[in-house]
Amino acid sequence: MIMADYKEAPLASRPQTLDPKEYFNVSPEQRRAEADRAALRANLKLQYLTQLNNPLRKELIEDPALTRWVHARANPYLHFKPTFKTSLLGLLFGVVPLFSLYAIFKTNRDRKEEQIQNGTLTRKFSLSS
């Protein structure tokens, strides 16, 4: 096998699929397993395309992968795994805005209350003229 020349990027490592040690040192069992998976994929694709292109078809074609994807999208909390990143994002977008808005409104209200008590607040709008 001849592999294309790959230049190393300065800030990124070489992808594992392009690593010559990983690419050329594949055992016969791994090659056989890859060939079996490719044959299975090709067979499934052929079955699906045969059903799809059947001119006498009357029923819907059920794609199991699409069914799994739709179910996962419809029920996201069944498949949610809390990690550090999701916890940090929840804190950042859920809790921090509440406390920051509270602090902004509280300081604005306190400043305005102090101006009212000192008599230095000029009110620009009044209902009674």
Side-chain angles (χ1 to χ4, degrees), residues 25-92:
N25 295 332
V26 178
S27 68
E29 295 87 25
Q30 286 178 325
R31 287 184 196 267
R32 203 172 307 113
E34 287 177 6
D36 290 343
R37 284 194 296 269
L40 183 64
R41 272 196 311 271
N43 189 15
L44 287 172
K45 184 177 180 181
L46 179 66
Q47 286 178 3
Y48 180 73
L49 289 176
T50 304
Q51 289 177 1
L52 183 66
N53 295 322
N54 183 5
L56 303 175
R57 168 171 55 99
K58 300 254 187 298
E59 70 278 350
L60 289 175
I61 300 172
E62 186 174 332
D63 185 3
L66 186 61
T67 306
R68 283 193 307 270
W69 182 81
V70 168
H71 182 266
R73 292 287 291 184
N75 303 305
Y77 300 112
L78 297 176
H79 307 285
F80 176 74
K81 291 185 175 90
T83 61
F84 178 74
K85 181 180 176 182
T86 57
S87 302
L88 189 64
L89 287 174
L91 184 73
L92 188 65

Side-chain angles (χ1 to χ4, degrees), residues 69-128:
W69 182 81
V70 168
H71 182 266
R73 292 287 291 184
N75 303 305
Y77 300 112
L78 297 176
H79 307 285
F80 176 74
K81 291 185 175 90
T83 61
F84 178 74
K85 181 180 176 182
T86 57
S87 302
L88 189 64
L89 287 174
L91 184 73
L92 188 65
F93 290 109
V95 178
V96 170
L98 293 175
F99 282 109
S100 60
L101 286 174
Y102 171 77
I104 290 169
F105 289 139
K106 177 81 171 122
T107 54
N108 189 22
R109 181 193 288 162
D110 291 346
R111 183 182 51 82
K112 198 175 260 190
E113 181 68 29
E114 186 179 336
Q115 287 178 348
I116 289 171
Q117 287 179 356
N118 292 340
T120 58
L121 180 68
T122 57
R123 298 186 181 199
K124 299 178 179 99
F125 176 74
S126 175
L127 288 176
S128 61

Side-chain angles (χ1 to χ4, degrees), residues 2-8 14 18 20:
I2 298 176
M3 201 163 127
D5 290 334
Y6 178 78
K7 290 186 178 180
E8 295 284 341
R14 181 186 291 249
L18 294 178

